[in-house]
Amino acid sequence: MVVKMPRDPADGDLIEREAVAPRQLPKDGPRRFPPYVPRPVETLLHRDPVTGVRRRANVIARLKGFYSLAEVRAAHPDGPDPRDAAWMRRRLLVALGFAHRAGVLHGAVLPEHVLIHPGPHGLVLIDWCRSVPGCYAGTDPSGRVPAMVDRYADWYPDEVPGRRRAGPATDISMATRCMTHLMADKAPTALRRFARGCTLPAQSRRPDDAWRLPAELDEVLERLYGPRRFRPFRMPPVPGRTATPEH
C-alpha cells in the first residue's frame, strides 16, 4: 500500500478530492474501465505524534511494474517511436473518456501522473488531488480546477490559470501536451496537426469527447503506418533508478 498525505494540513481538501474521485468513477462510469485508475483502500486522519497536527491521508493500492511518462521520456530522450507512443495516447484518451462519462475531470494530466506498463500495454492515471468530481457540484459549483502544479504552470490551458470553469477539453489539452512532449521531434506532421487541434487556446474550439478521439487518431495512424498491430515495448534502464518501479 501507499500512504499519501499533504505536507500542509490546509491541503486536506485536495486529499479529499483524491479519495472521492476514484470511488465515483467505478460507481458512475462504465464498469469495465476501473483498471485505468488506482484502487483506493481507505481514508484516515493522521495525528503527528510530535506536533499533534492532524492531516487527512489516503491509503492506495501500490502499482508494480509501471513507469511514468516522465520516466519514459527520460529513457528515450529523443522520444520513443511514434507507433509506441500511439498506444499510450489511445489508452490515455480511453481513461479520460471513462472519467468524463462518470462526471469527473482529472485536472492535472501531467507526465508524472500517467503511468504505463510496458508488457501488457497498461495505463493508470494517478493523482486525482486536483480533480473536479461531479458530486462536488453541490458544495463547489464553480467547476474550476482547485490547484496547479507550479513547475508545469505553462502546460495548463488558459481556463485553469484564468480560474474559469474547466471541462473535458481541459484534460484532453493536457493529455495532448504530455504526448507531444513525449515524442519530442519524432512526431510526424499529421500527428502534430492532430495535436494542434486538441490544444487550441479557446476551450470551446477544442475536442471535448475523449471517447471519439481514439477513432480519429486511428485514422491518422493508419494513413501513416497501416493497420494497427501489437508492438512489444521495452523500457531501457531509467537514469537514477536501480529497482523495479513501484508507484
Side-chain angles (χ1 to χ4, degrees):
M1 303 298 171
V2 175
V3 179
K4 181 174 179 180
M5 69 178 68
R7 291 186 177 89
D8 185 348
D11 288 336
D13 63 313
L14 301 182
I15 293 295
E16 181 181 3
R17 286 175 185 263
E18 183 176 55
V20 168
R23 288 186 168 89
Q24 183 179 343
L25 294 174
K27 183 178 69 174
D28 297 338
R31 293 187 177 181
R32 64 191 181 95
F33 292 109
Y36 284 95
V37 298
R39 181 172 62 86
V41 178
E42 66 174 314
T43 298
L44 51 88
L45 199 61
H46 174 269
R47 181 181 181 278
D48 190 301
V50 177
T51 65
V53 172
R54 294 178 180 272
R55 291 178 176 84
R56 186 183 296 272
N58 289 331
V59 182
I60 304 166
R62 184 180 294 277
L63 297 168
K64 296 186 178 182
F66 282 80
Y67 296 84
S68 72
L69 289 189
E71 292 171 320
V72 176
R73 174 62 193 268
H76 299 83
D78 296 326
D81 189 301
R83 291 170 293 179
D84 295 318
W87 67 259
M88 303 175 200
R89 188 172 194 163
R90 290 188 84 265
R91 280 159 177 72
L92 179 53
L93 289 172
V94 171
L96 291 177
F98 160 58
H100 297 164
R101 286 292 173 91
V104 181
L105 304 178
H106 185 274
V109 187
L110 298 167
E112 284 87 348
H113 301 162
V114 181
L115 307 184
I116 62 101
H117 197 299
H121 287 190
L123 182 142
V124 176
L125 191 53
I126 66 168
D127 202 330
W128 294 78
C129 290
R130 298 162 188 85
S131 62
V132 185
C135 60
Y136 262 59
T139 55
D140 179 10
S142 70
R144 295 192 295 259
V145 174
M148 295 170 58
V149 179
D150 291 340
R151 66 184 179 278
Y152 284 105
D154 61 344
W155 284 52
Y156 288 83
D158 292 345
E159 61 269 18
V160 179
R163 302 299 293 152
R164 298 190 297 274
R165 177 179 288 274
T170 305
D171 281 346
I172 291 171
S173 174
M174 298 189 74
T176 302
R177 181 70 185 270
C178 282
M179 300 313 301
T180 55
H181 173 74
L182 177 67
M183 286 188 287
D185 294 329
K186 285 188 176 180
T189 300
L191 287 178
R192 290 198 297 269
R193 190 181 302 120
F194 183 90
R196 281 196 297 271
C198 296
T199 54
L200 293 169
Q203 184 178 179
S204 61
R205 296 184 61 197
R206 288 181 236 132
D208 63 358
D209 188 342
W211 280 138
R212 293 177 57 186
L213 279 179
E216 296 179 23
L217 176 63
D218 284 347
E219 291 179 7
V220 176
L221 292 170
E222 186 164 352
R223 289 197 297 270
L224 287 169
Y225 304 115
R228 282 174 57 192
R229 62 178 184 270
F230 185 86
R231 281 175 53 86
F233 181 69
R234 294 178 178 83
M235 279 286 290
V238 176
R241 169 175 284 177
T242 58
T244 301
E246 295 188 7
H247 290 274

